Amino acid sequence: DQQVKQNSPSLSVQEGRISILNCDYTNSMFDYFLWYKKYPAEGPTFLISISSIKDKNEDGRFTVFLNKSAKHLSLHIVPSQPGDSAVYFCAASAPGNQFYFGTGTSLTVIP
Amino acid sequence: ETGVTQSPTHLIKTRGQQVTLRCSSQSGHNTVSWYQQALGQGPQFIFQYYREEENGRGNFPPRFSGLQFPNYSSELNVNALELDDSALYLCASSLWTGRMNYGYTFGSGTRLTVV
């Protein structure tokens, strides 16, 4: 029962362009969402979060959008840089509960 | 500020053996969660410890057990290892305030291979 889904296993983008990573969830009780970046041989590194009271959160080149009615969130990276190449996981939790992770999207930014 | 540290980084065990993985939580955090990440998958929640007690568990059998110590560090124990237990085991610490987990921070993981 995959409550958080990332349907694109991989994405390639030219340097300087926008990267858009998508995530869908099924549990309407989820109220807090995270995006993590993971390099090989390292643990996931926190990138950006959003709570369900907002529909957008921005931090530098990274913006997360939340569409609660569609149970969909997306991560926008603008402009994309080669160092952004990694696997990106979205995660969601209900209050006081554990995080459920998607299966990840491998982003490659081409110089 | 120290981060989350896990040991060992890599481990090879034989099927049927037992293994203990360790995690030191980030300073100021009081909750530890363990996740299993199989190849090509996202992390799957195993369990969470708060105040030295398990207070949440995912869909893992009882041979997966844990401990949290007064200094908030933690151990994950797996008995009767199976080949499918081969995975990256991640520990995450956070500050549980009674309503939300803040500052969810992952360690680099322990890569367990069962042969």
Side-chain angles (χ1 to χ4, degrees):
Chain A
D1 178 22
Q2 191 74 21
Q3 297 193 49
V4 177
K5 297 179 183 178
Q6 293 176 256
N7 291 319
S8 298
S10 63
L11 177 68
S12 290
V13 173
Q14 286 291 133
E15 181 178 3
R17 306 294 289 267
I18 183 172
S19 295
I20 300 176
L21 296 94
N22 293 303
C23 180
D24 296 293
Y25 61 96
T26 57
N27 189 339
S28 58
M29 297 298 293
F30 288 155
D31 69 345
Y32 192 58
F33 306 87
L34 305 174
W35 282 95
Y36 283 91
K37 179 168 70 172
K38 187 179 184 302
Y39 295 114
E42 294 183 13
T45 303
F46 170 78
L47 202 55
I48 193 168
S49 66
I50 189 166
S51 74
S52 58
I53 62 173
K54 301 175 112 178
D55 54 18
K56 176 183 173 181
N57 189 26
E58 193 172 350
D59 184 2
R61 296 185 297 115
F62 302 91
T63 304
V64 56
F65 294 92
L66 176 62
N67 183 334
K68 290 184 287 293
S69 60
K71 296 191 179 69
H72 176 85
L73 67 157
S74 61
L75 174 69
H76 293 208
I77 307 173
V78 182
S80 301
Q81 298 175 353
D84 296 329
S85 297
V87 179
Y88 289 78
F89 292 96
C90 67
S93 76
N97 215 322
Q98 76 270 19
F99 280 95
Y100 294 87
F101 283 78
T103 52
T105 296
S106 178
L107 172 67
T108 302
V109 179
I110 304 163
Chain B
E1 178 181 281
T2 58
V4 177
T5 56
Q6 293 186 243
S7 63
T9 55
H10 295 83
L11 201 53
I12 299 175
K13 287 286 190 178
T14 303
R15 189 172 51 183
Q17 283 188 313
Q18 179 266 342
V19 69
T20 297
L21 310 182
R22 294 179 175 84
C23 172
S24 295
S25 61
Q26 181 165 304
S27 176
H29 286 179
N30 58 12
T31 300
V32 174
S33 304
W34 286 91
Y35 288 80
Q36 180 196 65
Q37 185 174 11
L39 200 61
Q41 300 295 317
Q44 299 290 317
F45 177 72
I46 303 175
F47 44 54
Q48 177 174 287
Y49 276 81
Y50 171 67
R51 288 187 175 177
E52 302 175 48
E53 289 190 2
E54 185 182 296
N55 75 337
R57 190 177 183 95
N59 189 25
F60 281 81
R63 59 189 185 84
F64 285 77
S65 63
L67 285 172
Q68 186 184 30
F69 300 100
N71 65 354
Y72 305 118
S73 65
S74 176
E75 286 182 355
L76 164 65
N77 299 290
V78 187
N79 293 322
L81 283 167
E82 300 176 0
L83 297 179
D84 285 348
D85 296 333
S86 296
L88 178 68
Y89 287 85
L90 294 163
C91 164
S93 74
S94 58
L95 177 64
W96 170 243
T97 64
R99 189 176 181 278
M100 279 186 67
N101 271 318
Y102 287 97
Y104 222 77
T105 305
F106 281 91
S108 297
T110 294
R111 173 71 63 188
L112 173 64
T113 303
V114 182
V115 298

